[in-house]
Amino acid sequence: MWVFFAFGSALFAGITAVLAKCGIRQTDSTLATAIRTIVVLVFSWFMVFIAGSPEQIFSLDGMTWLFLVLSGLATGASWLCYFKALQMGDINKVVPIDKSSVILTMLLAFFLLGEGISLFGGVGIVLIAVGTFLMIEKKEPASGVVTKRGWLL
């Protein structure tokens, strides 16, 4: 079942990037992040009540609170940087760099959480790094490449 939710996350993240790029064309990226955060906040609490778990908030220990607060701060910093990068750069370059966080996450999980990295996982990390580099490298469009206006060269 986790795979279903993981693919759902990828789907919504892709949609989010395109919607965000459209939404920040005429506003400051910081304001856009704040608006997005309010929507996420309201939606998240709505889901907490739908799931019937608001009383669990009183049973969380101090370390859980600490890690969730730190995670929230990291998320906020990530969103601020992401929206500013989207506002300033091409979505086709910003998103691959953002998604390369997979590499950092896997390495941090290995070093800090003791999670293993298989041979195939290591190869995947290298391929993600190479793929990210290839997507962000500045090059002239080749014949048959779709341009910004959607025209085939």
Side-chain angles (χ1 to χ4, degrees):
M1 188 65 159
W2 65 268
V3 173
F4 173 77
F5 288 110
F7 278 113
S9 175
L11 170 70
F12 291 119
I15 293 169
T16 297
V18 173
L19 294 174
K21 182 68 174 183
C22 293
I24 59 175
R25 286 188 175 152
Q26 296 180 355
T27 189
D28 177 66
S29 64
T30 305
L31 175 62
T33 303
I35 292 169
R36 175 184 176 181
T37 303
I38 291 168
V39 172
V40 170
L41 175 70
V42 170
F43 182 71
S44 296
W45 279 106
F46 176 74
M47 293 307 296
V48 166
F49 284 100
I50 292 291
S53 56
E55 70 281 346
Q56 289 182 14
I57 197 168
F58 301 110
S59 64
L60 300 177
D61 65 15
M63 288 303 285
T64 299
W65 274 102
L66 175 66
F67 284 119
L68 291 177
V69 167
L70 291 174
S71 173
L73 291 171
T75 298
S78 171
W79 287 1
L80 288 167
C81 291
Y82 180 70
F83 266 54
K84 191 64 171 177
L86 275 179
Q87 190 172 47
M88 297 171 69
D90 285 344
I91 193 171
N92 293 327
K93 296 193 182 335
V94 171
V95 171
I97 293 171
D98 176 66
K99 298 308 175 195
S100 70
S101 64
V102 168
I103 298 167
L104 179 61
T105 302
M106 291 179 73
L107 293 174
L108 287 173
F110 176 76
F111 289 112
L112 300 177
L113 303 177
E115 294 187 10
I117 298 176
S118 67
L119 175 61
F120 288 123
V123 170
I125 289 172
V126 171
L127 291 175
I128 291 169
V130 170
T132 300
F133 175 76
L134 292 174
M135 286 187 278
I136 64 171
E137 181 184 9
K138 184 144 180 101
K139 54 187 169 273
E140 297 299 319
S143 179
V145 173
V146 178
T147 66
K148 280 187 176 181
R149 291 191 169 79
W151 297 99
L152 219 61
L153 296 177

